[in-house]
């Protein structure tokens, strides 16, 4: 291995950092309108979508309604869904909403790739999970949908760009139209 270029770290092959960069570049290349600066990248994360605990699950219909609204209002927006193998089938169904704009990377990324994708993205929507904290490290515009399992304000990241939805009784109280309204206000 030769001397690293300025700004690059030496890496053994296969290089996880390069793998993450290539995955992000690949998603951007396939993005409609990606040839101009107007193309935007947004990721929808639900790494812990609640399938381990039904009390945290915002529900397929809520995610579907939110994605349908996003696809209508922002037809050229690229959405990346990242999660574990357990979330793959749900993400596959959600991808059908707008196949050219939604990328299902569930069970296809490692932690370095996840961090790289969050860093390159413009917006982050998730449950109250670890990805919310990663997005906060990069000070990303974000929406976090909390369940009542988390004590209010106990694990909220210190990110002025984070909007939270915290229900009184159930995570399902948070309606997609409210999330969409906040998304539209924050994205522009």
């Amino acid at each position: 291995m030769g001397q690293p270029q300025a700004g690059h770290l030496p890496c053994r092959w296969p290089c996880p950092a390069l793998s993450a960069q290539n995955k992000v570049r690949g998603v951007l290349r396939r993005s409609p309108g990606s040839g101009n600066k107007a193309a935007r990248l947004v990721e929808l994360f639900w790494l812990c979508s609640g399938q381990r605990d039904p009390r945290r699950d915002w529900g397929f219909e809520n995610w579907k309604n939110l994605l349908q609204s996003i696809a209508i209002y922002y037809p050229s927006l690229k959405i990346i869904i990242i999660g574990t193998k357990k979330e793959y089938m749900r993400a596959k169904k959600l991808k059908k909403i707008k196949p050219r704009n939604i990328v299902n990377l569930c069970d296809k990324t490692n932690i370095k790739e996840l961090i790289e994708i969050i860093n390159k993205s413009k917006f982050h929507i998730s449950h109250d999970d670890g990805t919310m904290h990663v997005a906060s490290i990069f000070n990303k515009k974000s929406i976090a949908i909390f369940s009542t399992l988390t004590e209010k304000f106990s694990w909220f990241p210190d990110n002025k760009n984070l909007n939270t939805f915290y229900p009184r009784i159930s995570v399902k109280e948070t309606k997609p139209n409210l999330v969409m309204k906040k998304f539209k206000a924050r994205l522009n």
Side-chain angles (χ1 to χ4, degrees):
M1 193 162 39
Q3 291 288 9
Q5 295 176 349
H8 292 83
L9 298 173
C11 190
R12 294 176 187 237
W13 189 256
C15 179
L18 290 178
S19 172
Q21 289 172 356
N22 289 337
K23 205 167 273 191
V24 171
R25 285 186 192 122
V27 167
L28 288 172
R29 264 195 305 277
R30 293 188 302 269
S31 176
S34 61
N36 62 44
K37 292 182 181 179
R40 297 192 228 178
L41 173 65
V42 171
E43 91 277 9
L44 170 69
F45 275 77
W46 40 287
L47 190 62
C48 298
S49 69
Q51 292 181 333
R52 289 184 297 162
D53 188 335
R55 297 172 295 175
R56 279 205 165 141
D57 189 0
W58 194 40
F60 176 78
E61 287 301 315
N62 285 328
W63 286 113
K64 179 180 155 190
N65 291 336
L66 178 62
L67 284 179
Q68 286 172 333
S69 294
I70 291 171
I72 290 167
Y73 283 98
Y74 303 97
S76 66
L77 208 58
K78 178 63 75 174
I79 299 166
I80 301 173
I81 303 173
I82 294 186
T84 66
K85 188 184 281 187
K86 289 181 181 179
E87 284 90 29
Y88 180 82
M89 290 310 293
R90 181 183 271 186
K92 186 175 177 181
K93 290 176 188 173
L94 290 170
K95 181 177 171 52
K96 291 179 184 178
I97 293 167
K98 191 136 187 185
R100 290 188 62 201
N101 292 59
I102 299 174
V103 178
N104 178 4
L105 291 182
C106 289
D107 195 36
K108 296 178 184 173
T109 57
N110 60 37
I111 190 70
K112 288 182 180 183
E113 292 167 337
L114 174 91
I115 291 168
E116 178 74 17
I117 290 169
I118 292 172
N119 186 30
K120 298 287 185 192
S121 67
K122 302 294 180 207
F123 207 97
H124 182 82
I125 303 173
S126 68
H127 282 281
D128 56 329
D129 65 11
T131 64
M132 170 189 68
H133 295 282
V134 173
S136 289
I137 290 168
F138 296 113
N139 205 31
K140 295 294 175 179
K141 292 180 182 178
S142 306
I143 294 174
I145 303 164
F146 279 78
S147 70
T148 55
L149 295 178
T150 305
E151 186 178 324
K152 198 169 185 176
F153 302 115
S154 65
W155 290 102
F156 285 27
D158 187 23
N159 177 358
K160 67 180 187 272
N161 290 316
L162 173 68
N163 291 102
T164 58
F165 286 90
Y166 193 89
R168 291 183 316 125
I169 298 169
S170 164
V171 68
K172 301 229 180 3
E173 288 174 38
T174 303
K175 300 300 178 199
N177 63 323
L178 296 175
V179 176
M180 183 62 190
K181 184 177 178 182
K182 190 59 76 174
F183 176 73
K184 285 169 44 179
R186 299 292 296 168
L187 186 63
N188 296 326

